[in-house]
Amino acid sequence: DIQMTQSPSSLSASVGDRVTITCRASQSSSRSLNWYQQKPGKAPKLLIFAASRLLTGVPSRFSGSGSGTDFTLTISSLQPEDFATYYCQQTYSSPLTFGGGTKVEIK
Amino acid sequence: EVQLVESGGGSVQPGGSLRLSCAASGFTFSSYWMHWVRQAPGKGLVWVSRISSDGSSTTYADSVKGRVTISRDNAKNTLYLQMNSLRAEDTAVYYCAKESTSFVTGTFHFDSWGQGTLVTVSS
């Protein structure tokens, strides 16, 4: 199984800050890496697929990069609606696995 | 608009059974692979199972293999998860999710999720 490790597990940031979340795979996931945003009590929402492809309708302040084992989600200027938990997911091999999540909180 | 609506959750004793349903609308259900993902209270997302568009291929996480069966009825646009021999550790919100493939990248992702249904296993 491919283990996905996200860091940090939580962070505090202010509106306007640049935020970077990393996701490391225990073995290569090529570019089969997706990022989701989840708010309390809600279902996850897809932000980025294939490591760097922004889903249509997702604000351009979100971006993704990486390949192989190391991936990054960046929010260029944090907005109030971005306070949430973010998960990476590899779909390179079964079982599909998620990272443990990164909770982005208001400083 | 794509809609996925889960139902069937509830409270059950250890060893009991439940069948979850996910009613799909707004897309051609029979053309898409579907998944179940669960989330224990206060915890992260865990993939549970997937089924091919025609129902001929299924895959399960080791944690549920042998106790859970995924199925679908394309005529009714509905996905199912039959859960048997339930354990306390199966307590979670269960989401159904629609798989979408990017033909440009050759990868897939979950582009739509239901609102979830809560399963509580407790004596």
Side-chain angles (χ1 to χ4, degrees):
Chain A
D1 299 5
I2 298 178
Q3 310 302 320
M4 307 301 291
T5 303
Q6 275 184 247
S7 60
S9 56
S10 66
L11 64 90
S12 294
S14 301
V15 172
D17 284 353
R18 182 182 182 89
V19 169
T20 299
I21 299 168
T22 63
C23 181
R24 176 161 289 175
S26 61
Q27 56 188 279
S28 177
S29 298
S30 186
R31 293 183 65 84
S32 298
L33 190 287
N34 306 315
W35 289 98
Y36 300 87
Q37 176 194 67
Q38 186 180 35
K39 296 183 178 179
K42 301 294 186 181
K45 288 185 177 180
L46 178 69
L47 297 175
I48 287 170
F49 64 96
S52 61
R53 304 277 181 146
L54 198 66
L55 185 71
T56 301
V58 173
S60 59
R61 62 182 179 271
F62 290 94
S63 64
S65 65
S67 66
T69 60
D70 294 301
F71 302 90
T72 299
L73 172 69
T74 299
I75 308 172
S76 61
S77 179
L78 199 64
Q79 297 302 298
E81 59 268 31
D82 301 337
F83 292 95
T85 300
Y86 295 84
Y87 293 92
C88 62
Q89 175 204 35
Q90 69 81 19
T91 58
Y92 185 73
S93 68
S94 184
L96 310 184
T97 45
F98 291 88
T102 296
K103 186 174 184 179
V104 177
E105 299 176 299
I106 302 173
K107 181 182 275 185
Chain B
E1 178 195 3
V2 171
Q3 277 205 314
L4 298 169
V5 180
E6 300 95 337
S7 60
S11 187
V12 63
Q13 292 189 336
S17 299
L18 276 178
R19 187 175 85 154
L20 308 183
S21 299
C22 170
S25 61
F27 65 103
T28 305
F29 179 70
S30 59
S31 296
Y32 291 88
W33 288 54
M34 297 292 296
H35 298 252
W36 288 98
V37 176
R38 69 184 183 184
Q39 186 170 37
K43 303 296 185 181
L45 302 169
V46 177
W47 174 80
V48 174
S49 182
R50 73 177 168 196
I51 187 168
S52 61
S53 55
D54 64 359
S56 63
S57 175
T58 58
T59 314
Y60 300 93
D62 284 347
S63 59
V64 301
K65 201 173 294 183
R67 301 186 298 119
V68 160
T69 302
I70 190 172
S71 62
R72 64 192 298 161
D73 185 334
N74 285 344
K76 294 183 177 179
N77 290 341
T78 304
L79 174 72
Y80 301 101
L81 190 69
Q82 177 67 46
M83 307 174 65
N84 301 323
S85 303
L86 283 162
R87 307 166 179 167
E89 55 264 36
D90 296 317
T91 294
V93 173
Y94 286 74
Y95 296 100
C96 62
K98 170 180 166 284
E99 177 182 310
S100 181
T101 298
S102 166
F103 295 103
V104 172
T105 63
T107 64
F108 67 90
H109 47 271
F110 298 170
D111 66 347
S112 298
W113 298 64
Q115 86 289 349
T117 187
L118 176 63
V119 172
T120 303
V121 184
S122 174
S123 55

